[in-house]
Amino acid sequence: MPFCLLLSEDDSHKPIRLPHLQTVILGRGPETKIKDHKCSREQVELRADHNEGYVRVKQLGVNPTSVDFVALGKGNQVKMRIGQKLHMVNQLYPYTVSFKEEVSADGNKGSKRPHQENSEEESPTQRPGTYKVPKSASTEKARDQCGRADGASGLHRQPSPSQPLKKELSIIDKKVNSGHWNQGLKVSMQDPSMQVYKDERVVVIQDKYPKARHHWLVLPWESISSLKALQAEHRDLLVHMQNVGNKMVQQCPDASRLHFRLGYHAIPSMSHVHLHVISQDFDSPCLKNKKHWNSFTTDYFIESQDVIEMLERTGNVSVKEGMAELLKLPLRCHVCHKEQSTIPKLKEHLKCHLPT
């Protein structure tokens, strides 16, 4: 089954294991070797969901805590995924998380923990001391990426790891985050065979699992994990990404026959900011489920120009609450808005809107 580690990026201490749906408190103390009086003994509460591949981070102490340089504020919480970075006390004490498949004594991967419908509910908490941080990362068993839509108590010391687990931890430094599915874009954008355009600021790749006849991703070379990590100085970069996306459309042989949209998913499953350039025919075998459809045809898909204007107005990008619920909306044609009961019926219906 998968397990989760909290990793100290400055190697100040060993990785800390985060049990599934159990709360762990991070703060000042011997385990983390943090002696800074600005860091509370109970600074951050962590709760990992191994099934969904994220760690819920809640700020407990009064001093600044941030995820991808976006401040939380005392009492607030966010979901942190592979590729994102947690800082305690301003920009000090950086941490990342890793999800990995545990290997049993016979060398085989354990079976994955079954999904729990109540995974978001609080589990009984344990009596805490203060635990401190882990180091290293790896991979949770890759799911079928074509099936993805492109988001207080205490802590007990874990028992000594088994021999197979020790062996896995020993190779973490060589494979930090390299195998997790949501890091795939960082690999693809470096692959010359995937690149259809590049310049000194961005690269364009074909989506591996296109949801339409034409579906490209525009990615910046600069490492930006998510929309929430964008700041005012990124405005010109986003304008350049949009211009490059428009050039891709202009050069497309079907540009005169098909309509295109450029935008971002509100809560992308893949780490690293990427602009979708997608034709609106949605004629693709990789469009398989309701999440795919609603991620491109509801407000979950944020227009590129709207993101740019948000940066100009406020200096950051905010995502409205409840965006994830949009993925559960009924299937509705994006042209005539007629509701369809299943994906096959929707796809059949869409044929009537395809250009002749």
Side-chain angles (χ1 to χ4, degrees), residues 25-29 32 34 39-41 43 88 130-132:
I25 303 297
L26 192 66
R28 184 176 79 251
T32 50
I34 295 177
C39 182
S40 303
R41 291 191 179 277
Q43 179 67 30
M88 292 199 305
T130 301
Y131 208 84
K132 318 310 174 177

Side-chain angles (χ1 to χ4, degrees), residues 244-258:
V244 169
N246 284 328
K247 288 180 181 178
M248 296 300 299
V249 174
Q250 293 166 9
Q251 296 171 8
C252 176
D254 290 332
S256 62
R257 301 171 60 244
L258 297 175

Side-chain angles (χ1 to χ4, degrees), residues 300-319:
Y300 191 91
F301 189 80
I302 308 174
E303 293 284 349
S304 173
Q305 188 59 42
D306 291 342
V307 173
I308 293 171
E309 290 176 359
M310 204 180 303
L311 275 184
E312 292 173 342
R313 289 196 311 271
T314 66
N316 57 57
V317 177
S318 59
V319 176

Side-chain angles (χ1 to χ4, degrees), residues 138-185:
S138 181
T139 129
E140 154 180 41
K141 199 170 192 177
R143 307 171 192 170
D144 176 8
Q145 295 185 18
C146 186
R148 294 187 180 283
D150 260 326
S153 247
L155 166 195
H156 288 323
R157 183 188 302 275
Q158 299 302 309
S160 299
S162 62
Q163 287 304 118
L165 178 55
K166 286 181 179 178
K167 183 177 180 180
E168 300 239 0
L169 293 177
S170 71
I171 63 173
I172 277 177
D173 290 334
K174 300 178 182 178
K175 294 187 176 181
V176 175
N177 296 336
S178 62
H180 197 280
W181 58 265
N182 79 353
Q183 299 298 297
L185 290 181

Side-chain angles (χ1 to χ4, degrees), residues 29-205:
E31 294 290 348
T32 50
K33 299 184 180 179
I34 295 177
K35 299 180 180 179
D36 190 338
H37 71 280
K38 294 181 180 178
C39 182
S40 303
R41 291 191 179 277
E42 295 187 358
Q43 179 67 30
V44 172
E45 175 187 294
L46 306 172
R47 189 167 181 264
D49 189 317
H50 297 179
N51 296 338
E52 299 299 327
Y54 68 78
V55 175
R56 192 180 297 279
V57 181
K58 181 178 181 180
Q59 180 176 326
L60 302 178
V62 295
N63 290 292
T65 292
S66 64
V67 173
D68 279 350
F69 303 103
V70 177
L72 271 65
K74 186 175 181 180
N76 295 328
Q77 60 185 8
V78 297
K79 293 179 181 178
M80 176 181 172
R81 299 182 183 273
I82 291 285
Q84 295 185 292
K85 188 176 296 185
L86 163 70
H87 282 94
M88 292 199 305
V89 188
N90 294 315
Q91 305 308 319
L92 304 177
Y93 316 115
Y95 300 102
T96 56
V97 294
S98 164
F99 287 87
K100 192 174 185 69
E101 286 288 335
E102 188 161 12
V103 177
S104 61
D106 60 6
N108 295 321
K109 289 185 178 180
S111 58
K112 185 176 178 181
R113 180 191 302 271
H115 177 71
Q116 299 179 14
E117 291 298 329
N118 297 325
S119 62
E120 291 298 319
E121 295 181 7
E122 292 294 326
S123 61
T125 55
Q126 301 175 1
R127 191 67 191 157
T130 301
Y131 208 84
K132 318 310 174 177
V133 158
K135 151 191 183 173
S136 232
S138 181
T139 129
E140 154 180 41
K141 199 170 192 177
R143 307 171 192 170
D144 176 8
Q145 295 185 18
C146 186
R148 294 187 180 283
D150 260 326
S153 247
L155 166 195
H156 288 323
R157 183 188 302 275
Q158 299 302 309
S160 299
S162 62
Q163 287 304 118
L165 178 55
K166 286 181 179 178
K167 183 177 180 180
E168 300 239 0
L169 293 177
S170 71
I171 63 173
I172 277 177
D173 290 334
K174 300 178 182 178
K175 294 187 176 181
V176 175
N177 296 336
S178 62
H180 197 280
W181 58 265
N182 79 353
Q183 299 298 297
L185 290 181
K186 296 181 180 180
V187 176
S188 296
M189 65 186 288
Q190 301 288 343
D191 183 355
S193 67
M194 296 285 293
Q195 298 168 354
V196 296
Y197 170 88
K198 67 177 179 179
D199 59 29
E200 71 282 355
R201 304 185 74 182
V202 303
V203 60
V204 181
I205 63 174

